[in-house]
Amino acid sequence: MDFTFTAQQDELAKRVAEFAADRIAPHRQEQDRSGTYRPDLIADLAAAGLFALRIPGEYGGLGLDAVSAGIALERLAAADLSVCFPVLNAALIGGVLADNGTPEQRAAWLPAIARGEAVVALALTEPDHGTDAAGIRMAARPDGDGWVLTGEKTSIMIAAHATHALVFARTGGEGARGISAFYVALDDTRVRRERLTDLGCKAGGRGRLVLDGLRVGPGELVGEPGGGFTAVMRGFGVSRALIALMAIAVGDAALEEAYTHATRRTAFGQPLGRFQSVTFPLVEHTTLLHAARLVAYEALCRADRGEDPRIPSNMAKWWAPKAAVEATHQALLTMGHLGWSEDGPVAQRLRDVIGLQLADGTAAATKMTVARLVLGKEYAP
């Protein structure tokens, strides 16, 4: 087994880390307090090529593999988790469009995503259907050669910032095979947005999208009617591993702050790091995050080789956010009142990373996926 990155991937990691240190990290707490992205953030992310990571080269993208996307998102999340979501969505939705769109759709949509001109949201979750995504009720009523979409999507990350959304609605009968995907612009008067108030990632603009009779034509249907749910679930095989790496980066950043504190702060005549009760818990969390990181990269490697990434991806998705929350909590305790203070470097990270235990599938949902893949659906929950 080879655990090293390529020279190109090492260069990508260096470039994104430098960009994040210069253009992202200095604004983390300011954006958290204001509850929104600074005006030039999207342009900065676009100029750094971060929306283009997974877009094929013929459509203005970088055409990078899944491992490279993970490397970039790790460095970005270490600086500020909340800015990762438009980048993550560009990778996930860009992949769905590249795999399922017609040549005309790909040519019309993908270059704008790569350039950051189209900021995309994934509109799947509904008020009564989160984990039970195959049960969504948003109606897509046939209308001539198109459809009229009516209903509500909620808990949509970057809903406040997005220009477009991949919207899932029911065009057929019950279950997953009755769901279709539509790529729609959100500047229509029949689309209403409402920002939600969150514990963390406040700048990310999570919100509700209410569609009140939005008409879409055949050119906005992605793939075949009834194929939308399957398309996005395939994308989750990569995105769940990417989210795991985002969580790990937050936990690692918090632990780094705690290690630094343990070398600088003294008690009873010696550095805190000399006390086992301080250092050993940090080492334990560092170990768990390191192991979770390997599982996440295994999933991405499998995806890049054309293999099924779902078992390690879902393993990483339930484990890494939990490990990151616990590591960040331990960092806060290590730093005492400095960790507890919102003026310190850790409290916001703890609030932010908790949300990744919900994003793109809860622990229960991802464990169920692993159980069904290992046991078979007839023997699993």
Side-chain angles (χ1 to χ4, degrees), residues 3-351:
F3 293 97
T4 60
F5 295 137
T6 66
Q8 292 79 11
Q9 289 167 338
D10 284 335
E11 175 57 32
L12 174 68
K14 180 175 181 291
R15 178 169 60 82
V16 176
E18 290 174 349
F19 163 79
D22 180 48
R23 299 297 299 154
I24 302 300
H27 304 282
R28 176 170 65 90
Q29 292 180 309
E30 169 198 338
Q31 290 192 151
D32 181 64
R33 286 189 292 267
S34 69
T36 192
Y37 291 152
R38 57 186 172 85
D40 51 353
L41 174 68
I42 297 299
D44 281 350
L45 293 171
L50 290 167
F51 295 128
L53 294 172
R54 297 281 282 159
I55 303 296
E58 60 265 39
Y59 301 108
L62 298 177
L64 299 182
D65 57 16
V67 168
S68 297
I71 290 169
L73 281 164
E74 263 197 292
R75 273 64 184 179
L76 203 59
D80 183 355
L81 179 61
S82 73
V83 307
C84 290
F85 295 103
V87 175
L88 175 72
N89 283 359
L92 171 60
I93 295 172
V96 172
L97 299 180
D99 291 342
N100 298 277
T102 65
E104 294 77 16
Q105 288 173 331
R106 293 196 295 267
W109 297 338
L110 293 178
I113 295 175
R115 292 191 298 265
E117 296 168 2
V119 179
V120 291
L122 183 76
L124 177 62
T125 300
E126 296 180 1
D128 295 323
H129 297 281
T131 299
D132 181 20
I136 63 169
R137 305 311 307 167
M138 175 173 278
R141 177 176 56 83
D143 181 59
D145 63 349
W147 297 264
V148 173
L149 306 183
T150 302
E152 177 185 339
K153 299 294 182 180
T154 195
S155 196
I156 308 305
M157 187 53 77
I158 71 166
H161 308 294
T163 63
H164 294 72
L166 189 63
V167 178
F168 296 83
R170 189 162 296 283
T171 54
E174 298 296 316
R177 295 186 182 277
I179 298 172
S180 299
F182 301 91
Y183 186 70
V184 302
L186 298 178
D187 59 355
D188 195 287
T189 57
R190 289 159 294 186
V191 179
R192 178 165 54 87
R193 311 187 202 209
E194 179 183 330
R195 183 189 287 263
L196 300 175
T197 302
D198 295 331
L199 174 68
C201 286
K202 295 182 178 182
R206 189 179 69 98
R208 299 167 62 235
L209 296 173
V210 179
L211 278 60
D212 185 13
L214 178 67
R215 192 182 190 283
V216 294
E220 290 159 302
L221 174 70
V222 180
E224 296 296 323
F229 187 79
T230 302
V232 75
M233 292 308 293
R234 282 198 300 267
F236 282 168
V238 170
S239 69
R240 286 176 173 170
L242 295 176
I243 289 173
L245 289 168
M246 289 158 49
I248 291 162
V250 175
D252 279 340
L255 289 173
E256 184 177 345
E257 298 281 1
Y259 281 122
T260 299
H261 181 77
T263 64
R264 294 177 179 173
R265 179 69 180 267
T266 60
F268 307 104
Q270 57 184 334
L272 288 182
R274 295 292 298 275
F275 295 96
Q276 290 184 8
S277 61
V278 173
T279 301
F280 282 12
L282 298 179
V283 171
E284 291 168 7
H285 288 294
T286 298
T287 304
L288 291 172
L289 289 178
H290 181 77
R293 187 172 186 260
L294 294 178
V295 176
Y297 274 115
E298 178 193 346
L300 299 180
C301 284
R302 288 186 181 278
D304 287 336
R305 292 201 299 257
E307 301 172 7
D308 188 344
R310 288 178 295 169
I311 288 179
S313 178
N314 282 278
M315 286 177 171
K317 177 56 185 68
W318 80 255
W319 180 24
K322 179 177 184 292
V325 168
E326 292 171 353
T328 308
H329 185 203
Q330 185 61 51
L332 184 152
L333 296 176
T334 300
M335 300 177 72
H337 65 82
L338 179 61
W340 176 249
S341 172
E342 287 285 5
D343 293 325
V346 173
Q348 180 194 339
R349 293 191 190 278
L350 181 58
R351 289 190 287 102

